[in-house]
Amino acid sequence: MQVKTSNFGSLKESGISLLLFSFVFLEVSAELFSFRVILFAFRPFVIILIMYLYWITSIERSLLFFTTLFFLLLTSIFILSESLVFLMLGLAGIAIHRLLLILYSIKLNNIKDFVPILIAVIPFIFVFSYLLSISDEIPEISYYPLVVQNILVSILAGVILSNYFMNENNNKPWLSIFGLLSTGLYFIVFIEKCFLSNLPPTYFRPLGMILFATSYYALYKFVINTERLNADLLESTA
């Protein structure tokens, strides 16, 4: 009976994962052809499906995971609007999301030594600060929010990079994939907004959507595998 239940759970997870990437395909198509209605209808579902995947597969169902993705969900809705108020709310939401993501990564990896993180943050801060300093296309109202985003992304990348070298568990690949894809996504958005804003959005947004969905799917896999590794460790020491 347990084997059948496990097989059913795996089949359900695979089915929802397939549905998730079907939505991603629709989103990429909508970005390519600028179908705003589809963007509004399906983009939030990508995050909702990741949250649902976590709900049906997690053995902990951490409130921190749901809270972190809830702010991402709000941001994904706000940034689709042309209103300055909603755009500012989106910037605030993504800042809170990244801060929670940093805290969650530290918690999951049980990090106690922060010196490697401080060292790993330095190159990211340097690169993003340099790009910000040479950009002439940044509106004054966006400058300080971008500084905050640069700091948060650099800290998150530093946490992931230091974990790759300092942590010897078997779950490093998924976190590393998330770190690589999410940093790449931010870099693309940063370059588009600060240096290539005169180009049509179809040059960047389809790739951005793919990086967005695959990075958070990697985060989901990392969290699930970490919870299972921790449970196995507790069981073996009990």
Side-chain angles (χ1 to χ4, degrees):
M1 180 67 68
Q2 187 175 2
V3 174
K4 288 184 178 180
T5 304
S6 177
N7 289 339
F8 176 75
S10 298
L11 186 62
K12 190 175 182 181
E13 181 182 4
S14 300
I16 295 173
S17 297
L18 180 62
L19 181 61
L20 168 66
F21 286 103
S22 298
F23 279 133
V24 173
F25 175 77
L26 287 172
E27 281 290 305
V28 170
S29 301
E31 292 283 13
L32 284 171
F33 298 104
S34 299
F35 292 153
R36 301 289 293 177
V37 174
I38 295 179
L39 288 175
F40 274 107
F42 289 109
R43 175 171 289 190
F45 278 106
V46 172
I47 303 169
I48 291 171
L49 281 175
I50 291 176
M51 295 171 74
Y52 181 62
L53 266 176
Y54 177 74
W55 176 264
I56 65 172
T57 55
S58 171
I59 57 178
E60 293 185 14
R61 292 179 177 175
S62 170
L63 179 61
L64 189 52
F65 180 90
F66 290 111
T67 306
T68 301
L69 261 69
F70 174 73
F71 279 100
L72 181 65
L73 177 63
L74 290 181
T75 301
S76 70
I77 296 172
F78 288 148
I79 62 173
L80 290 174
S81 172
E82 300 295 335
S83 167
L84 180 61
V85 174
F86 281 109
L87 289 175
M88 296 308 293
L89 286 173
L91 285 173
I94 197 65
I96 296 171
H97 163 72
R98 288 195 170 112
L99 180 59
L100 291 173
L101 201 52
I102 291 167
L103 297 175
Y104 196 29
S105 299
I106 292 173
K107 177 179 179 291
L108 284 172
N109 289 292
N110 196 25
I111 296 174
K112 294 186 171 28
D113 184 4
F114 294 94
V115 174
I117 295 176
L118 293 175
I119 296 172
V121 164
I122 293 173
F124 295 103
I125 286 284
F126 176 79
V127 170
F128 286 125
S129 297
Y130 174 74
L131 291 174
L132 187 62
S133 69
I134 63 174
S135 173
D136 297 324
E137 300 182 21
I138 302 175
E140 186 177 350
I141 195 172
S142 303
Y143 183 82
Y144 290 106
L146 271 174
V147 170
V148 173
Q149 296 299 330
N150 285 353
I151 293 171
L152 291 174
V153 171
S154 298
I155 294 173
L156 179 60
V159 169
I160 294 170
L161 182 62
S162 63
N163 178 76
Y164 180 82
F165 289 104
M166 303 299 293
N167 198 334
E168 297 182 356
N169 65 38
N170 296 322
N171 201 26
K172 292 190 295 186
W174 281 116
L175 183 60
S176 301
I177 291 170
F178 168 71
L180 180 64
L181 294 176
S182 59
T183 305
L185 171 62
Y186 181 75
F187 184 77
I188 288 173
V189 172
F190 189 90
I191 294 297
E192 176 197 359
K193 300 297 184 185
C194 298
F195 294 96
L196 302 173
S197 58
N198 57 321
L199 292 179
T202 52
Y203 278 69
F204 300 97
R205 291 183 181 174
L207 176 59
M209 186 62 211
I210 293 171
L211 290 175
F212 172 82
T214 52
S215 64
Y216 282 98
Y217 185 79
L219 175 67
Y220 150 74
K221 296 295 288 185
F222 163 70
V223 172
I224 289 296
N225 287 351
T226 300
E227 289 179 356
R228 290 172 182 170
L229 285 171
N230 291 339
D232 291 342
L233 182 61
L234 285 173
E235 187 177 339
S236 64
T237 55

Short mmCIF file of all heavy atoms in Angstrom, two decimals, residues 72-100:
data_model
loop_
_atom_site.label_atom_id
_atom_site.label_comp_id
_atom_site.label_asym_id
_atom_site.label_seq_id
_atom_site.Cartn_x
_atom_site.Cartn_y
_atom_site.Cartn_z
N LEU A 72 6.44 36.85 -3.80
CA LEU A 72 6.79 36.74 -5.21
C LEU A 72 5.54 36.77 -6.08
O LEU A 72 5.53 37.39 -7.15
CB LEU A 72 7.57 35.43 -5.45
CG LEU A 72 8.03 35.18 -6.89
CD1 LEU A 72 9.06 36.21 -7.33
CD2 LEU A 72 8.62 33.77 -7.02
N LEU A 73 4.48 36.12 -5.62
CA LEU A 73 3.21 36.11 -6.33
C LEU A 73 2.64 37.53 -6.45
O LEU A 73 2.21 37.96 -7.53
CB LEU A 73 2.21 35.20 -5.61
CG LEU A 73 0.79 35.14 -6.18
CD1 LEU A 73 0.79 34.58 -7.59
CD2 LEU A 73 -0.10 34.29 -5.26
N LEU A 74 2.65 38.27 -5.33
CA LEU A 74 2.17 39.65 -5.37
C LEU A 74 2.98 40.49 -6.35
O LEU A 74 2.43 41.27 -7.13
CB LEU A 74 2.24 40.27 -3.97
CG LEU A 74 1.26 39.75 -2.93
CD1 LEU A 74 1.47 40.49 -1.61
CD2 LEU A 74 -0.18 39.89 -3.39
N THR A 75 4.30 40.30 -6.31
CA THR A 75 5.18 41.07 -7.19
C THR A 75 4.90 40.77 -8.65
O THR A 75 4.87 41.66 -9.50
CB THR A 75 6.65 40.76 -6.87
OG1 THR A 75 6.90 41.11 -5.50
CG2 THR A 75 7.59 41.54 -7.77
N SER A 76 4.68 39.48 -8.98
CA SER A 76 4.46 39.09 -10.36
C SER A 76 3.17 39.70 -10.92
O SER A 76 3.05 39.90 -12.13
CB SER A 76 4.39 37.56 -10.48
OG SER A 76 3.20 37.06 -9.88
N ILE A 77 2.24 40.03 -10.03
CA ILE A 77 0.99 40.68 -10.46
C ILE A 77 1.20 42.19 -10.59
O ILE A 77 0.80 42.82 -11.57
CB ILE A 77 -0.15 40.38 -9.46
CG1 ILE A 77 -0.45 38.87 -9.46
CG2 ILE A 77 -1.40 41.18 -9.82
CD1 ILE A 77 -1.42 38.45 -8.37
N PHE A 78 1.87 42.77 -9.60
CA PHE A 78 2.06 44.22 -9.59
C PHE A 78 2.88 44.72 -10.78
O PHE A 78 2.58 45.76 -11.36
CB PHE A 78 2.73 44.67 -8.29
CG PHE A 78 1.82 44.59 -7.08
CD1 PHE A 78 2.35 44.29 -5.82
CD2 PHE A 78 0.46 44.81 -7.19
CE1 PHE A 78 1.52 44.22 -4.71
CE2 PHE A 78 -0.37 44.73 -6.08
CZ PHE A 78 0.16 44.44 -4.84
N ILE A 79 3.94 43.98 -11.13
CA ILE A 79 4.84 44.49 -12.16
C ILE A 79 4.24 44.43 -13.57
O ILE A 79 4.80 45.00 -14.50
CB ILE A 79 6.19 43.75 -12.16
CG1 ILE A 79 6.00 42.27 -12.48
CG2 ILE A 79 6.92 43.94 -10.86
CD1 ILE A 79 7.30 41.51 -12.66
N LEU A 80 3.10 43.75 -13.71
CA LEU A 80 2.44 43.72 -15.02
C LEU A 80 1.66 45.01 -15.28
O LEU A 80 1.27 45.29 -16.40
CB LEU A 80 1.49 42.52 -15.11
CG LEU A 80 2.17 41.14 -15.17
CD1 LEU A 80 1.13 40.05 -15.10
CD2 LEU A 80 2.99 41.01 -16.44
N SER A 81 1.46 45.79 -14.22
CA SER A 81 0.71 47.04 -14.37
C SER A 81 1.63 48.17 -14.81
O SER A 81 2.83 48.17 -14.53
CB SER A 81 0.05 47.40 -13.03
OG SER A 81 -0.52 48.69 -13.09
N GLU A 82 1.06 49.14 -15.50
CA GLU A 82 1.81 50.32 -15.93
C GLU A 82 1.79 51.42 -14.87
O GLU A 82 2.47 52.43 -15.00
CB GLU A 82 1.23 50.86 -17.25
CG GLU A 82 1.27 49.87 -18.40
CD GLU A 82 2.69 49.53 -18.83
OE1 GLU A 82 3.59 50.35 -18.59
OE2 GLU A 82 2.89 48.44 -19.39
N SER A 83 0.99 51.23 -13.82
CA SER A 83 0.84 52.24 -12.78
C SER A 83 2.12 52.34 -11.94
O SER A 83 2.69 51.32 -11.54
CB SER A 83 -0.34 51.89 -11.87
OG SER A 83 -0.33 52.68 -10.70
N LEU A 84 2.55 53.56 -11.66
CA LEU A 84 3.75 53.78 -10.86
C LEU A 84 3.57 53.24 -9.45
O LEU A 84 4.50 52.68 -8.86
CB LEU A 84 4.08 55.28 -10.82
CG LEU A 84 5.32 55.68 -10.00
CD1 LEU A 84 6.57 55.03 -10.57
CD2 LEU A 84 5.46 57.19 -9.96
N VAL A 85 2.35 53.38 -8.90
CA VAL A 85 2.08 52.90 -7.54
C VAL A 85 2.28 51.39 -7.47
O VAL A 85 2.93 50.86 -6.56
CB VAL A 85 0.64 53.26 -7.11
CG1 VAL A 85 0.31 52.62 -5.76
CG2 VAL A 85 0.48 54.78 -7.03
N PHE A 86 1.71 50.66 -8.45
CA PHE A 86 1.85 49.20 -8.46
C PHE A 86 3.29 48.77 -8.71
O PHE A 86 3.76 47.77 -8.17
CB PHE A 86 0.92 48.59 -9.51
CG PHE A 86 -0.51 48.50 -9.05
CD1 PHE A 86 -1.47 49.33 -9.60
CD2 PHE A 86 -0.88 47.59 -8.08
CE1 PHE A 86 -2.79 49.26 -9.17
CE2 PHE A 86 -2.20 47.50 -7.65
CZ PHE A 86 -3.15 48.34 -8.19
N LEU A 87 4.00 49.53 -9.54
CA LEU A 87 5.41 49.21 -9.78
C LEU A 87 6.24 49.37 -8.51
O LEU A 87 7.11 48.54 -8.21
CB LEU A 87 5.96 50.10 -10.89
CG LEU A 87 5.46 49.81 -12.31
CD1 LEU A 87 6.01 50.85 -13.28
CD2 LEU A 87 5.88 48.41 -12.76
N MET A 88 5.96 50.41 -7.72
CA MET A 88 6.66 50.62 -6.46
C MET A 88 6.30 49.52 -5.45
O MET A 88 7.15 49.04 -4.70
CB MET A 88 6.34 52.00 -5.88
CG MET A 88 6.82 53.16 -6.74
SD MET A 88 8.59 53.06 -7.20
CE MET A 88 9.35 53.28 -5.59
N LEU A 89 5.03 49.12 -5.44
CA LEU A 89 4.62 48.01 -4.58
C LEU A 89 5.32 46.72 -5.00
O LEU A 89 5.71 45.90 -4.17
CB LEU A 89 3.10 47.83 -4.64
CG LEU A 89 2.26 48.87 -3.90
CD1 LEU A 89 0.78 48.66 -4.19
CD2 LEU A 89 2.52 48.82 -2.40
N GLY A 90 5.48 46.57 -6.32
CA GLY A 90 6.20 45.40 -6.83
C GLY A 90 7.64 45.38 -6.39
O GLY A 90 8.19 44.33 -6.01
N LEU A 91 8.30 46.54 -6.41
CA LEU A 91 9.68 46.64 -5.97
C LEU A 91 9.80 46.32 -4.48
O LEU A 91 10.74 45.64 -4.04
CB LEU A 91 10.23 48.04 -6.24
CG LEU A 91 10.57 48.36 -7.70
CD1 LEU A 91 10.93 49.83 -7.86
CD2 LEU A 91 11.72 47.48 -8.18
N ALA A 92 8.84 46.82 -3.68
CA ALA A 92 8.83 46.52 -2.24
C ALA A 92 8.61 45.03 -2.01
O ALA A 92 9.27 44.41 -1.15
CB ALA A 92 7.76 47.35 -1.53
N GLY A 93 7.69 44.44 -2.78
CA GLY A 93 7.39 43.02 -2.64
C GLY A 93 8.58 42.14 -2.97
O GLY A 93 8.87 41.17 -2.26
N ILE A 94 9.30 42.48 -4.05
CA ILE A 94 10.44 41.65 -4.44
C ILE A 94 11.59 41.81 -3.45
O ILE A 94 12.36 40.87 -3.21
CB ILE A 94 10.89 41.97 -5.88
CG1 ILE A 94 11.78 40.83 -6.44
CG2 ILE A 94 11.64 43.28 -5.95
CD1 ILE A 94 11.09 39.53 -6.62
N ALA A 95 11.71 42.99 -2.83
CA ALA A 95 12.74 43.18 -1.80
C ALA A 95 12.45 42.31 -0.58
O ALA A 95 13.35 41.64 -0.05
CB ALA A 95 12.81 44.66 -1.40
N ILE A 96 11.19 42.29 -0.15
CA ILE A 96 10.80 41.44 0.98
C ILE A 96 10.99 39.97 0.62
O ILE A 96 11.48 39.17 1.44
CB ILE A 96 9.34 41.72 1.38
CG1 ILE A 96 9.19 43.15 1.89
CG2 ILE A 96 8.87 40.73 2.45
CD1 ILE A 96 7.76 43.59 2.12
N HIS A 97 10.61 39.62 -0.60
CA HIS A 97 10.77 38.24 -1.06
C HIS A 97 12.24 37.80 -1.00
O HIS A 97 12.56 36.73 -0.49
CB HIS A 97 10.25 38.11 -2.49
CG HIS A 97 10.73 36.89 -3.21
ND1 HIS A 97 10.27 35.63 -2.91
CD2 HIS A 97 11.66 36.74 -4.20
CE1 HIS A 97 10.87 34.75 -3.69
NE2 HIS A 97 11.72 35.39 -4.47
N ARG A 98 13.13 38.64 -1.49
CA ARG A 98 14.56 38.27 -1.51
C ARG A 98 15.14 38.21 -0.09
O ARG A 98 15.98 37.37 0.19
CB ARG A 98 15.34 39.23 -2.39
CG ARG A 98 15.05 39.03 -3.88
CD ARG A 98 16.07 39.71 -4.77
NE ARG A 98 15.88 39.29 -6.15
CZ ARG A 98 15.45 40.09 -7.13
NH1 ARG A 98 15.18 41.36 -6.87
NH2 ARG A 98 15.30 39.63 -8.35
N LEU A 99 14.68 39.10 0.77
CA LEU A 99 15.14 39.06 2.16
C LEU A 99 14.71 37.76 2.83
O LEU A 99 15.50 37.10 3.52
CB LEU A 99 14.58 40.27 2.92
CG LEU A 99 14.97 40.38 4.39
CD1 LEU A 99 16.48 40.47 4.55
CD2 LEU A 99 14.30 41.59 5.04
N LEU A 100 13.45 37.37 2.62
CA LEU A 100 12.96 36.10 3.17
C LEU A 100 13.70 34.91 2.56
O LEU A 100 13.98 33.93 3.24
CB LEU A 100 11.46 35.97 2.91
CG LEU A 100 10.54 36.93 3.69
CD1 LEU A 100 9.11 36.79 3.22
CD2 LEU A 100 10.63 36.65 5.19
#
